[in-house]
Amino acid sequence: MKPEFPPGNMPGHVGIIMDGNGRWAEMKGLPRVEGHRRGAERAKEIIEASKEFGVKALTLYAFSLENWQRPKAEVAMIMKLLEVYLRREMYEFVKEGIHFRAAGDLNRLPQGVRNLVAQAEALTSACKNMVLTAAISYGGRDEIVRAVKKALQSGASPQDISESSFADLLDTKGLPDPDLIIRTSGEKRISNFLLWQSAYSELYFTDTLWPEFGREELLGALRDYQVRDRRFGAVKL
Ligand code: FPP
């Protein structure tokens, strides 16, 4: 069944900080990894729903650079989960016309995950329905520093650098800035996610923990966005 949206004003690009897997598991008396497993299932549901609702780009914060500091066993389980997820879902992405991309310092990922990321990117590169970016081993400041390094390495001079040429050096090259950023689990901060790109993003916070964030809640967030008044720093005359 098609959802009833008021006409127009849909976010083209939605970013999601998927937070609260650990707390969800702890509340249920389960190991944290069960929260991540359930979180990955939710990611699948939300990817499908986003496409259905006409979102053109979806960026999911799956693993931050700071997350590398978690206990070794938890990091290993998340990496395994990513591997299993990508191996299985990349064919689904092709079927659904979803172009998969990754953002982040991929050099730090285990070789197996890196290979699968490259394979999924290549396999889906011609897909046109939606761009799905997985931010993995990602930090917004790190992305900006890596972009500065790329500019210096290319021998660019100050007059070559503009906001748009700089944006082309970021991992999100070619994507529009996110219109809407959703964060689950009640925390109200950006946590190093898409720092450059979120300059004018609308923010939506919900107390729902990520493993409980379903299609209906996504619909609620999109509807909330639709009635916002975005002025980008200007006044309406
Ligand atoms: C945040 O919950 C979640 C993570 C750090 C890992 C996210 C991983 C997934 C959702 C699964 C993989 C995703 C895909 C797309 C395959 P938290 O552990 O920080 O929760 P807490 O704040 O309650 O401890």
Side-chain angles (χ1 to χ4, degrees), residues 11 32 36 53 69 71 82 151 155 160 173 187 190 200 229 231:
R32 290 177 60 82
H36 297 316
F53 298 157
Q69 288 153 29
L82 276 171
D160 298 329
K173 177 180 164 138
E187 310 291 357
I190 281 290
Y200 286 101
D229 181 21
R231 292 188 298 278

Side-chain angles (χ1 to χ4, degrees), residues 17-26 32 35-44 47 60-64 67 70 74 78 81-83 85-86 100 132 134 183 185 187 209-211:
I17 303 174
M18 308 180 288
D19 196 12
N21 292 348
R23 271 164 288 165
W24 178 86
E26 280 156 21
R32 290 177 60 82
H36 297 316
R37 205 165 280 142
R38 173 70 179 255
E41 281 170 32
R42 281 303 185 187
K44 183 174 161 62
I47 292 164
L60 298 178
Y61 203 4
F63 192 81
S64 73
N67 288 154
R70 293 194 175 194
E74 183 173 341
I78 294 175
L81 199 59
L82 276 171
E83 205 176 310
Y85 189 89
L86 278 174
F100 174 85
L132 167 68
R183 181 173 190 149
S185 93
E187 310 291 357
L209 303 175
W210 177 251

